[in-house]
Amino acid sequence: MKSAVSYGTLVVLLLLSFIPIFMMISMSLRDSLMIYGDFWSLPWPPKWENYSFALIDLTVPILRTIYLCVISIVGIMIFATLSGYAFARLTFVGRNMLFFIVVLMMTVPGVLLLTPNFILADFLHLKNSLEGLAVFYIGGGQLFAIFLLSTFFQSQPEEMFEAARMEGASEFRCVWAIAIPLARPILITIGIMNFLSIYNDLIWPILLISTPNLQTISMALANYAPNAGNAVGQMSRPDLGIITSGYAFASIPLLFLFTFGMRYFIEGLTSGSVKA
C-alpha cells in the first residue's frame, strides 16, 4: 500500500511537471487571438507556420550559442582535468592551500563577480566577442570541475598510475591514457551542466555583447517580439504564438542534449557521489 501511494504521488508530480511543457507547445501552435479567446483550448487548427518565423529568426543565434558552449566546455575540461589531476596525484608546495582556496571560491556568489569581470573584460578588450565570453565561462567553470575531478582522481587506485610510470609513461601520458578514460562520465556531467548554464545565461552576454549580430539565443529571445502581420489600421502587437514557438524551438538543443547524455549524466553524478 505504501509503495502504491509513493508511485501514485510520483506519477501525479510527473504529470504536473509536463503541464508547462504542454502549454508551451499548445500556445506555440496558436495565435494571440486564439490564446486570449480560450487559453486552455487545444491548438486546432494548428498554426505550424509559427515555427517558420522561429526557424528564420533564431537558427543563427542558436548556432552561435552552441559554438560558444563548445569552445567554453572544451576549455573547461582541458584546464580542469589537468588541475584536478595535479591536485589528486602530484605533490607540490602549497597544494592543500590552493585546493582550499578553490573550495572557498565556490562559496562566492557569481553575481558578486559581475562588476570585476566586466572591468577586466574592458581592460583586456574582450567585449563584443564570443571568444571573450568564452574566456570568462572557462574561468568560471573551473572551480566546480576541479573539485569534482580531483575528488574522483583521488578515489582511483594509485597502482594503475604507478604501473604506467614504471613503464616509462609521463604524467601527461597518465592523464591521457588513464585519468581521462576513467573520468569520462564525470567529464560528460561537467559538460552537460556547463552547457545548460552557458546556453541559458542572459546577464553576462547582455553586459559584454552590444553588437546585434553577436547575440546569443537568450539575448535573441529577450528581444523576440515578432507579429504575424496585422491588418492595416490595426495596432501592431507581438504575436504570443510566434513568440512561444521561438522558446519551444530554442529548447530543441537542450532536449537532444538530455536525450543522448542523460545516461552518462546520471552515471557521472552517481560515481562522483559514491567515490567522493
Side-chain angles (χ1 to χ4, degrees):
M1 181 63 182
K2 185 177 180 180
S3 177
V5 172
S6 300
Y7 281 111
T9 303
L10 290 175
V11 170
V12 172
L13 293 175
L14 179 64
L15 293 177
L16 290 175
S17 68
F18 274 100
I19 290 179
I21 300 176
F22 170 78
M23 292 310 304
M24 179 180 69
I25 296 175
S26 175
M27 290 177 63
S28 70
L29 295 174
R30 293 183 283 170
D31 55 27
S32 291
L33 184 61
M34 297 174 64
I35 294 172
Y36 285 123
D38 188 355
F39 181 79
W40 296 102
S41 67
L42 295 176
W44 190 260
K47 297 180 67 66
W48 297 105
E49 60 269 21
N50 285 354
Y51 281 89
S52 64
F53 288 88
L55 182 66
I56 295 172
D57 297 334
L58 299 178
T59 298
V60 173
I62 287 176
L63 295 177
R64 188 183 299 129
T65 307
I66 291 176
Y67 165 74
L68 174 63
C69 291
V70 169
I71 61 175
S72 300
I73 291 171
V74 169
I76 290 171
M77 288 184 176
I78 291 175
F79 291 111
T81 300
L82 296 176
S83 300
Y85 181 86
F87 280 121
R89 293 296 169 184
L90 302 182
T91 302
F92 53 90
V93 177
R95 182 184 67 173
N96 294 333
M97 178 59 67
L98 288 175
F99 189 75
F100 174 77
I101 293 174
V102 169
V103 176
L104 185 64
M105 288 295 295
M106 290 172 58
T107 65
V108 179
V111 67
L112 297 181
L113 302 177
L114 290 177
T115 299
N117 282 346
F118 179 81
I119 296 174
L120 181 61
D122 185 57
F123 177 77
L124 297 176
H125 303 287
L126 296 177
K127 295 172 63 178
N128 289 319
S129 168
L130 293 179
E131 290 74 19
L133 273 175
V135 168
F136 289 92
Y137 284 134
I138 291 172
Q142 289 298 301
L143 300 176
F144 188 65
I146 290 174
F147 176 77
L148 280 182
L149 288 168
S150 62
T151 304
F152 181 82
F153 291 149
Q154 286 176 352
S155 67
Q156 302 305 308
E158 176 64 23
E159 290 77 10
M160 293 187 301
F161 299 93
E162 286 295 337
R165 295 188 188 102
M166 291 178 62
E167 294 294 330
S170 63
E171 294 297 339
F172 283 103
R173 182 65 179 175
C174 291
V175 172
W176 179 258
I178 301 177
I180 291 180
L182 290 174
R184 186 180 66 169
I186 298 289
L187 291 173
I188 294 177
T189 300
I190 293 172
I192 292 176
M193 294 176 65
N194 281 281
F195 188 95
L196 292 175
S197 176
I198 298 170
Y199 190 87
N200 294 315
D201 189 22
L202 175 62
I203 297 178
W204 185 236
I206 284 181
L207 290 176
L208 221 61
I209 300 295
S210 59
T211 306
N213 59 2
L214 289 179
Q215 285 187 338
T216 63
I217 184 59
S218 295
M219 297 174 66
L221 288 175
N223 301 316
Y224 193 56
N227 59 71
N230 296 322
V232 178
Q234 294 182 351
M235 183 177 61
S236 178
R237 181 178 299 174
D239 190 288
L240 295 181
I242 298 176
I243 294 174
T244 310
S245 69
Y247 283 89
F249 181 68
S251 303
I252 293 177
L254 302 180
L255 179 63
F256 276 104
L257 179 70
F258 272 98
T259 300
F260 296 103
M262 181 55 67
R263 179 170 67 89
Y264 298 101
F265 181 75
I266 296 175
E267 184 180 349
L269 290 179
T270 305
S271 61
S273 61
V274 172
K275 296 178 181 178

